[in-house]
Amino acid sequence: DLPLEDRADWIASWMADGVEPTCIPTTCGHEKLKFEPSSLLRAYEDRAMSSCSCKLLCLRHLGEGCRSWWYLEIQDSNFDSSTGIHGHTLCRLYTDDFSFSRALPWDAP
């Protein structure tokens, strides 16, 4: 994930009375959708290690116009002489608002 100093500038918390304590998964974005408008603001390879880290990068660039992001995480063993699997991440920030009508169904290779 991002270094500790990069994590804490956007945090949400809440409390509910009369509710049993429970774990709530924290997710960011919509899985298996590809959204790539032509308004690329920035791209980060292997910097954001989760969709929430990518969202945080977009929030940090709101002043530059970031309005949406797309996060990709893949694992492969291509072009590697070892037998191990290694991973790659890609975080793209866009100035266009996210639109379900412009997003495409997509599975990572």
Side-chain angles (χ1 to χ4, degrees):
D1 241 21
L2 294 172
L4 183 60
E5 64 273 8
D6 289 345
R7 293 184 199 169
D9 47 348
W10 191 80
I11 297 175
S13 63
W14 61 94
M15 296 182 65
D17 292 329
V19 177
E20 288 291 317
T22 184
C23 283
I24 299 172
T26 55
T27 58
C28 299
H30 304 279
E31 288 186 2
K32 299 189 180 200
L33 286 179
K34 184 174 185 177
F35 179 65
E36 284 195 285
S38 60
S39 64
L40 181 65
L41 177 65
R42 292 178 183 265
Y44 295 97
E45 284 191 43
D46 296 324
R47 166 102 197 270
M49 302 312 285
S50 70
S51 59
C52 291
S53 294
C54 188
K55 177 181 179 180
L56 176 59
L57 287 170
C58 186
L59 290 169
R60 292 177 136 216
H61 294 286
L62 280 174
E64 295 173 43
C66 189
R67 297 296 178 265
S68 60
W69 70 94
W70 182 63
Y71 176 75
L72 171 67
E73 180 177 348
I74 59 172
Q75 294 183 344
D76 64 47
S77 59
N78 293 337
F79 310 110
D80 189 335
S81 59
S82 74
T83 58
I85 293 183
H86 60 275
H88 306 277
T89 65
L90 177 62
C91 173
R92 291 184 176 167
L93 309 181
Y94 300 101
T95 57
D96 282 14
D97 290 335
F98 175 78
S99 167
F100 276 108
S101 65
R102 293 173 54 201
L104 301 172
W106 191 72
D107 280 320

